[in-house]
Amino acid sequence: MGNIPSGINTPEILVDVEKLERNIARVAQRVSSQGLKLRPHAKTHKMLEVADRQLTAGAAGLTVATVGEALNFALHGVPKLFIAYPLWINESQAERILELMKRAKLSIGTDSVAAVQQMAKMLGEKACKVKLMIEIDSGHHRSGVAPAQAVEIADAARDAGLRVHGVFTFPGHSYAPNAIDEAVNQEHKALAEAACLLRKAGHQVKRISGGSTPTAELSDNSVLTEVRPGVYVFGDAQQFELGRTGWNDIALSVASTVISRHEGSADIPRRIVVDAGSKVLGADRPAWASGYGRVMECPEASITALSEHHATIAWPDDRELPGYGEQLRIIPNHVCVAVNLVDSVLAIHPDGAVERWDVNARGLNY
Amino acid sequence: MGNIPSGINTPEILVDVEKLERNIARVAQRVSSQGLKLRPHAKTHKMLEVADRQLTAGAAGLTVATVGEALNFALHGVPKLFIAYPLWINESQAERILELMKRAKLSIGTDSVAAVQQMAKMLGEKACKVKLMIEIDSGHHRSGVAPAQAVEIADAARDAGLRVHGVFTFPGHSYAPNAIDEAVNQEHKALAEAACLLRKAGHQVKRISGGSTPTAELSDNSVLTEVRPGVYVFGDAQQFELGRTGWNDIALSVASTVISRHEGSADIPRRIVVDAGSKVLGADRPAWASGYGRVMECPEASITALSEHHATIAWPDDRELPGYGEQLRIIPNHVCVAVNLVDSVLAIHPDGAVERWDVNARGLNY
């Protein structure tokens, strides 16, 4: 990762453009060689500069989580958008979705008869233009239905004049150590079963969409037609600790400054404190994670506590504490929430040039 | 708490103005009756409308965490600001601090000789105008020094021509069940000891600043001269579960919509899913918390999982699941990080009038 540009204020998010482009190219090539389409999730980065690179590398469109994110990218000219979320559409959202449909081909998730009927009511005659994607629960037990329930949703869609296009799932239970293989199996099995039942009931299933950064690598086109990884563009401490990204592939970090240092004693821990806290790193901390992120300059260091503007770092006993004012790059546990905390990032090009990229879709929660 | 205004998109942060004003008045009165000044931490709310109400109720000034927050409020005319953070001042920060000093009386935290010398170097002849506040570690073991170390920092400040004004601490270890009484004792003891040692060494100690929402209530002027609570204006699920705020005093919630519902089975939990996730609630989840927040309409419900745009809620077995499209108000675990995720909130007045308030200092991490 390139050095920290001199004279910057901290905390500041840095993007290593060379690594970003390498990640985008590697995953695009791999997914293509798996016989799959890539519809990357843009909620990770929310930036036009990253979206452009994904589309140039052959992405079939972008996945987003909200109508606001979809509008943001549609206004920029992204032609195909998949809101992979079971929207409940009210009147105000309906107006925005109709606006969106003037600019992009749109797929929308659903997991209930009620939401399908609401969509038909709210979007009126335009509802038939939406590609409806039924969300299947493949073991994460969040939203989504069991494969057997997909048919009644598809029937309701047909009755309401809507167009079922396919099925999707998010195997979020793959975000844990040693859980990935089993989660991939469940994902493929659930989607295959749903697709089979839908086809038997006379519905078309043109798209079978799976995947996340941990599972996409282990998928092929025996069941899926596409994958939707997000985090792969940057990587983060979670994916590193899960073994799904290499240390040297991590393209995003938070430049921070040492503001407090303590040699410690019998009762008091030896530590440094840097000025990157949960308001720039996010507070995600799965039980299996080693801490609240990782330190790029010192993989052995452990971030033991996070406040809003402080990260407390236990420094290895055999290494001298960094000095006051020294700058360190912190790798967030979960990069999607870190990016969502800033209005812009510093993109560092291989030649050292520094560019400010806006996080255009930050905070577009609806 | 007032109802959810009709027709809004979700997730959206709502502020109940009546409860907000009641909280501000109650704490202002209590702190005054304790013989203390109130210098509330504005990192919680980041809003001019809330700051104005605090100052009108008699606050001695505002506490902030960053130079950017200080500038935001100084430009609005707040005359006294305390950056309760051990800043490491670089050249770019120095320019901004000098700008700030034209507009407001400024106190700044420090916890090292090195940072004091850096401040003197960076601010030049203006450095003597800063009221220097030495940070004491009262048991939280984040930043701050042991009371005995305060003297060498104060000596270095005097040698550099800087003005020591007092001491402060943040008893963050009070944010746990049954920890509050002990944390208050440690806070008072550490500050009293530091003040005593400093005075013995010939330094003035005009301000002794403690407190947080959990501890401020248990303080008086036997040691402290002021307290700096932040969360009290809104309350949150953490403070409720710690017993430091009443359910009916919680003034902020996140309006959300039921987007998925599942009666469950032997293997699969009964649950609803609403569209407020970690990108609007924040992901803070202390080990002792009951979940990722609370549901205003159903105190018995438990938020068992949080994704970026989903909260998974285990609903009480003896209560019917809320319907699709129904709106619920979620109380964040930690309100400071929730507010920092949005550009504005909906303030709901007692007469039902709805006003949009900007979160002016959102994202001002430096």
Side-chain angles (χ1 to χ4, degrees):
Chain A
M1 172 149 237
N3 290 324
I4 300 176
S6 67
I8 64 167
N9 289 315
T10 60
E12 181 83 79
I13 291 187
L14 310 180
V15 171
D16 183 317
V17 177
E18 188 173 15
K19 290 185 180 176
L20 168 72
E21 292 181 345
R22 208 167 67 200
N23 294 342
I24 289 172
R26 186 183 62 249
V27 171
Q29 191 171 22
R30 192 193 68 215
V31 170
S32 163
S33 75
Q34 289 164 311
L36 295 168
K37 285 186 180 173
L38 178 61
R39 201 177 303 272
H41 211 312
K43 74 177 165 60
T44 299
H45 57 74
K46 299 173 184 277
M47 288 185 252
L48 303 180
E49 286 82 356
V50 181
D52 284 345
R53 284 167 167 80
Q54 291 175 313
L55 293 166
T56 302
L62 294 181
T63 303
V64 294
T66 69
V67 176
E69 288 180 354
L71 270 169
N72 173 75
F73 288 109
L75 289 167
H76 181 62
V78 176
K80 292 180 184 176
L81 290 157
F82 173 20
I83 305 176
Y85 193 89
L87 293 180
W88 183 265
I89 302 173
N90 64 11
E91 279 178 32
S92 149
Q93 284 292 44
E95 274 178 39
R96 301 169 77 217
I97 291 171
L98 293 173
E99 187 58 38
L100 182 49
M101 290 173 71
K102 292 181 192 160
R103 299 171 184 274
K105 287 190 179 171
L106 189 62
S107 344
I108 299 180
T110 189
D111 82 346
S112 69
V113 169
V116 160
Q117 291 170 342
Q118 175 78 1
M119 186 184 296
K121 184 172 145 195
M122 286 290 131
L123 300 185
E125 60 183 18
K126 296 287 184 193
C128 66
K129 300 282 186 195
V130 173
K131 293 178 175 178
L132 207 61
M133 296 287 292
I134 299 176
E135 185 174 6
I136 306 299
D137 176 7
S138 57
H140 189 35
H141 304 328
R142 190 177 67 178
S143 47
V145 294
Q149 289 176 270
V151 175
E152 78 173 307
I153 297 172
D155 288 348
R158 188 169 47 197
D159 293 348
L162 270 66
R163 185 159 54 121
V164 174
H165 189 68
V167 290
F168 76 109
T169 194
F170 174 65
H173 54 310
S174 65
Y175 284 66
N178 306 316
I180 295 172
D181 290 341
E182 173 67 4
V184 170
N185 285 340
Q186 291 178 317
E187 174 187 26
H188 293 183
K189 187 163 169 282
L191 288 176
E193 191 184 339
C196 176
L197 291 170
L198 285 168
R199 284 174 179 144
K200 269 193 197 160
H203 296 285
Q204 68 171 11
V205 183
K206 289 192 177 168
R207 193 192 299 168
I208 302 181
S209 177
S212 59
T213 293
T215 61
E217 199 173 336
L218 305 172
S219 297
D220 61 30
N221 64 356
S222 62
V223 172
L224 306 184
T225 66
E226 69 171 32
V227 287
R228 309 183 315 276
V231 174
Y232 76 98
V233 292
F234 299 131
D236 58 22
Q238 280 187 176
Q239 295 305 326
F240 170 72
E241 296 192 357
L242 288 174
R244 307 326 288 186
T245 197
W247 188 263
N248 292 320
D249 293 327
I250 297 173
L252 183 145
S253 64
V254 178
S256 69
T257 300
V258 176
I259 53 105
S260 192
R261 61 200 293 280
H262 303 273
E263 289 295 349
S265 65
D267 303 331
I268 298 179
R270 183 169 185 264
R271 67 197 189 275
I272 58 167
V273 181
V274 300
D275 59 2
S278 66
K279 279 182 173 166
V280 67
L281 292 167
D284 285 51
R285 202 257 190 243
W288 47 264
S290 69
Y292 289 91
R294 297 293 287 260
V295 182
M296 188 73 85
E297 286 77 8
C298 183
E300 303 79 26
S302 168
I303 303 180
T304 55
L306 212 59
S307 312
E308 289 161 61
H309 299 277
H310 307 71
T312 304
I313 307 176
W315 206 249
D317 285 338
D318 59 354
R319 287 186 58 175
E320 202 176 324
L321 293 182
Y324 288 103
E326 209 169 296
Q327 294 191 332
L328 298 172
R329 289 162 299 175
I330 311 297
I331 305 164
N333 265 350
H334 185 185
V335 73
C336 309
V337 298
V339 171
N340 188 51
L341 286 161
V342 298
D343 291 317
S344 63
V345 302
L346 288 185
I348 304 173
H349 290 273
D351 63 359
V354 176
E355 210 178 350
R356 199 168 268 285
W357 288 356
D358 288 340
V359 182
N360 314 78
R362 188 205 60 73
L364 300 181
N365 279 320
Y366 54 74
Chain B
M1 169 150 238
N3 291 325
I4 301 176
S6 68
I8 65 167
N9 288 315
T10 59
E12 182 84 77
I13 291 187
L14 310 179
V15 171
D16 182 317
V17 177
E18 187 173 14
K19 290 186 180 176
L20 169 74
E21 292 179 346
R22 208 168 66 199
N23 293 340
I24 289 172
R26 185 184 62 247
V27 171
Q29 190 171 21
R30 192 193 68 215
V31 170
S32 163
S33 76
Q34 289 163 313
L36 295 167
K37 286 187 179 172
L38 178 62
R39 202 177 301 273
H41 212 312
K43 73 176 166 63
T44 299
H45 57 75
K46 299 172 183 279
M47 288 184 253
L48 303 179
E49 285 83 354
V50 180
D52 284 345
R53 284 168 168 80
Q54 291 175 314
L55 293 165
T56 302
L62 294 181
T63 304
V64 293
T66 70
V67 176
E69 288 180 353
L71 270 169
N72 173 76
F73 288 108
L75 288 168
H76 180 63
V78 176
K80 293 181 185 177
L81 290 156
F82 174 21
I83 306 176
Y85 194 87
L87 292 181
W88 182 266
I89 301 174
N90 65 11
E91 280 180 32
S92 149
Q93 284 293 45
E95 274 179 39
R96 301 170 76 218
I97 291 171
L98 293 172
E99 187 58 37
L100 184 50
M101 291 173 68
K102 291 181 193 160
R103 299 172 183 276
K105 288 191 179 170
L106 190 62
S107 344
I108 299 181
T110 188
D111 82 348
S112 69
V113 171
V116 161
Q117 291 170 341
Q118 175 77 2
M119 187 184 296
K121 184 172 146 196
M122 287 290 133
L123 299 185
E125 61 183 18
K126 296 286 184 196
C128 66
K129 300 280 185 197
V130 173
K131 294 179 176 178
L132 208 60
M133 294 288 291
I134 300 176
E135 185 175 5
I136 305 300
D137 177 7
S138 58
H140 188 37
H141 305 327
R142 191 177 66 178
S143 46
V145 295
Q149 290 175 272
V151 175
E152 79 174 309
I153 298 171
D155 288 348
R158 186 169 47 198
D159 294 348
L162 271 67
R163 182 159 56 118
V164 174
H165 189 68
V167 290
F168 76 108
T169 193
F170 174 66
H173 55 310
S174 65
Y175 284 66
N178 306 316
I180 295 171
D181 290 340
E182 173 67 4
V184 171
N185 286 340
Q186 291 178 317
E187 173 187 29
H188 293 183
K189 187 164 171 279
L191 288 175
E193 190 183 342
C196 174
L197 291 169
L198 284 168
R199 285 174 178 143
K200 270 193 195 159
H203 296 286
Q204 68 171 9
V205 182
K206 289 193 178 167
R207 194 192 300 169
I208 303 181
S209 178
S212 58
T213 294
T215 62
E217 199 172 336
L218 305 172
S219 298
D220 62 30
N221 65 355
S222 62
V223 173
L224 306 185
T225 66
E226 68 171 34
V227 287
R228 309 183 313 279
V231 173
Y232 76 97
V233 290
F234 300 131
D236 58 22
Q238 281 186 175
Q239 296 305 326
F240 170 73
E241 295 191 358
L242 289 173
R244 306 326 287 187
T245 196
W247 187 263
N248 292 322
D249 293 327
I250 298 173
L252 183 144
S253 64
V254 179
S256 69
T257 300
V258 176
I259 53 106
S260 193
R261 63 199 293 280
H262 303 272
E263 289 293 348
S265 64
D267 303 331
I268 299 179
R270 184 170 185 264
R271 66 197 188 277
I272 58 167
V273 181
V274 300
D275 61 2
S278 65
K279 279 182 174 167
V280 67
L281 293 166
D284 285 51
R285 202 259 188 243
W288 47 263
S290 70
Y292 290 91
R294 297 293 287 259
V295 182
M296 188 73 84
E297 285 76 7
C298 182
E300 303 79 24
S302 166
I303 303 182
T304 55
L306 211 59
S307 312
E308 290 161 60
H309 299 278
H310 308 71
T312 303
I313 307 176
W315 206 251
D317 284 338
D318 59 354
R319 285 186 58 175
E320 202 176 326
L321 294 181
Y324 289 104
E326 208 167 296
Q327 294 192 332
L328 299 172
R329 289 161 299 174
I330 310 297
I331 305 163
N333 265 348
H334 185 184
V335 74
C336 309
V337 297
V339 171
N340 187 50
L341 285 162
V342 298
D343 291 317
S344 64
V345 303
L346 288 185
I348 303 173
H349 291 272
D351 63 358
V354 176
E355 208 179 351
R356 197 167 270 286
W357 288 355
D358 288 339
V359 183
N360 314 77
R362 188 204 60 74
L364 300 181
N365 279 319
Y366 54 73

